[in-house]
Amino acid sequence: MEAVRASAAWVASRSSHVKVDMLEVEKVVDKIEGNVPKVEWDFEGIHYFDDGPLTVQYLFVLDALNFCFWPDKDLSYDHLASGLKLALEKDKTALDADRLQNYTGPQLRQLLNWPRPLPIEDERVRLLHEVGMELERSFGGEAANLVKSAGNSAATLIELITRHFPGFRDHSLYKGHQVFLYKRAQIFVADLWGAFKGQNYGEFHDINSITIFADYIVPAVLRELGILKYGSNLSCSIDSNSEIIPGSEEEVEIRACSVYAVEKMRELINKKFGKQLLSIDIDLWLWSCGVQNMALSHHRTLSIYY
Ligand SMILES: Nc1nc2c(c(CN[C@H]3C=C[C@H](O)[C@@H]3O)cn2[C@@H]2O[C@H](COP(=O)(O)O)[C@@H](O)[C@H]2O)c(=O)[nH]1
């Protein structure tokens, strides 16, 4: 994931609306003494798991739809994860590639047991169709085959996903440069690793190459910790819940600086405490803090990427 790391650093070095405060990074690292609190994958108990290929199909569909819940104030990631789980428990064929290609908006709502239209529902449906079609065309209908063809490499799996499934190509332009954040592709790898505990479909020899997943929760936590500092205009927009335009400098800076800040935190923990932490572990710790703090204001961007 060198492209993610390098392009995030490029943005951070030119950023004007968002700054990474290295003194605060150091303070946080010292406070936790290099020990990131361990948060178990599925600490919420909401994910489907059967130790086999159906779990891989579930996680791939989950992460194809893992974005932009905030426009409906009652909807969250938990509804998606537990809704798909229940659907699969009722009908093991619910996420088969041929079924994925045929869902309509109302059927998807019904599948998730959600009473009203989902945010950006038409895009969610389009992405489901894309996943079903390409899985069928290139991977015998099974996400498990996609994972197998990556040969236990996280970087190869992300390359395969972004090559085959355009909906996962989470990139932007910033001051004329292409910036890669690949949030949903990376979180899929992390979900496999977490669910299968680094074994079987979750075994990756290069899991340390993954960065954090630049969503709308982790940046809010980093801001609360004082690690991210926002300029006054951006602060006002976020605190007043104004929407941040997708692809704007502000949006790219928020996401890229979050990735960069955690990479710096990781480097510092290694230098000061001699520990090799994974960004995934730091991410899950920060994210779990964020979702438990209802008072945090986060940036609001309509996006299919996160
Ligand atoms: N950085 C990061 N972002 C994450 C997750 C997860 C869930 N990961 C699962 C994996 C193991 C655990 O047991 C988790 O359940 C979701 N999100 C993002 O959050 C936002 C949703 O927020 P709210 O509207 O409040 O539900 C949305 O952008 C969504 O894409 C994560 O882990 N890291």
Side-chain angles (χ1 to χ4, degrees):
M1 286 300 88
E2 216 25 62
V4 175
R5 215 165 265 113
S7 57
W10 196 89
V11 173
S13 70
R14 286 154 182 88
S15 180
S16 58
H17 307 278
V18 181
K19 286 282 165 220
V20 177
D21 187 333
M22 282 308 296
L23 280 176
E24 295 295 333
V25 173
E26 195 155 351
K27 272 194 213 159
V28 170
V29 166
D30 286 340
K31 194 167 164 210
I32 61 172
E33 297 177 339
N35 293 310
V36 164
K38 178 81 192 142
V39 178
E40 285 296 318
W41 190 86
D42 195 32
F43 63 93
E44 318 96 314
I46 54 174
H47 297 90
Y48 178 84
F49 186 73
D50 66 3
D51 210 13
L54 195 53
T55 300
V56 181
Q57 193 86 354
Y58 164 80
L59 293 174
F60 195 51
V61 172
L62 173 70
D63 286 324
L65 303 179
N66 184 0
F67 59 87
C68 207
F69 304 98
W70 59 265
D72 185 329
K73 68 175 176 36
D74 298 318
L75 181 70
S76 73
Y77 168 80
D78 291 22
H79 294 105
L80 175 68
S82 55
L84 288 177
K85 177 187 184 202
L86 269 173
L88 211 46
E89 282 168 351
K90 266 198 242 155
D91 175 1
K92 296 279 183 217
T93 69
L95 305 182
D96 283 3
D98 56 334
R99 302 274 304 271
L100 294 177
Q101 292 172 60
N102 288 303
Y103 281 113
T104 62
Q107 286 168 340
L108 176 60
R109 266 177 247 162
Q110 199 181 15
L111 190 76
L112 300 176
N113 196 19
W114 192 250
R116 13 176 214 287
L118 296 155
I120 356 184
E121 187 177 86
D122 50 347
E123 282 295 278
R124 290 189 143 89
V125 168
R126 185 184 65 80
L127 291 166
L128 268 190
H129 294 181
E130 181 182 284
V131 162
M133 246 170 341
E134 188 55 17
L135 280 181
E136 192 169 283
R137 195 172 73 101
S138 301
F139 300 99
E142 293 199 23
N145 292 334
L146 161 70
V147 174
K148 278 188 212 150
S149 55
N152 300 108
S153 162
T156 306
L157 181 51
I158 286 161
E159 202 201 301
L160 276 173
I161 293 171
T162 52
R163 195 193 311 155
H164 283 272
F165 301 90
F168 282 86
R169 291 178 198 155
D170 172 8
H171 69 148
S172 341
L173 278 178
Y174 178 82
K175 301 191 201 284
H177 283 241
Q178 197 171 13
V179 177
F180 306 90
L181 295 169
Y182 292 155
K183 186 255 175 190
R184 291 194 286 103
Q186 292 204 84
I187 209 170
F188 172 58
V189 173
D191 284 341
L192 289 167
W193 189 76
F196 289 92
K197 301 194 185 328
Q199 308 287 314
N200 192 359
Y201 292 105
E203 187 184 341
F204 300 102
H205 60 76
D206 53 354
I207 194 71
N208 65 352
S209 66
I210 298 285
T211 70
I212 60 145
F213 321 118
D215 68 335
Y216 50 86
I217 302 290
V218 169
V221 177
L222 293 172
R223 181 186 181 208
E224 178 79 1
L225 288 170
I227 288 175
L228 292 188
K229 298 274 179 348
Y230 293 175
S232 54
N233 287 347
L234 180 58
S235 284
C236 287
S237 300
I238 288 175
D239 296 338
S240 62
N241 290 338
S242 302
E243 284 188 30
I244 309 291
I245 298 177
S248 62
E249 286 199 352
E250 287 86 343
E251 190 226 7
V252 182
E253 289 182 11
I254 291 170
R255 300 185 72 209
C257 287
S258 298
V259 170
Y260 178 76
V262 173
E263 290 309 303
K264 288 286 136 190
M265 189 187 282
R266 238 177 122 178
E267 278 171 24
L268 202 61
I269 292 173
N270 190 3
K271 196 167 128 203
K272 282 195 150 182
F273 299 94
K275 288 189 183 151
Q276 302 265 4
L277 294 191
L278 297 179
S279 297
I280 296 183
D281 291 330
I282 306 182
D283 179 274
L284 198 50
W285 165 52
L286 296 172
W287 187 79
S288 65
C289 293
V291 285
Q292 282 160 47
N293 182 353
M294 304 299 281
L296 273 191
S297 11
H298 62 72
H299 77 284
R300 289 159 192 260
T301 297
L302 278 179
S303 173
I304 63 157
Y305 295 134
Y306 65 98

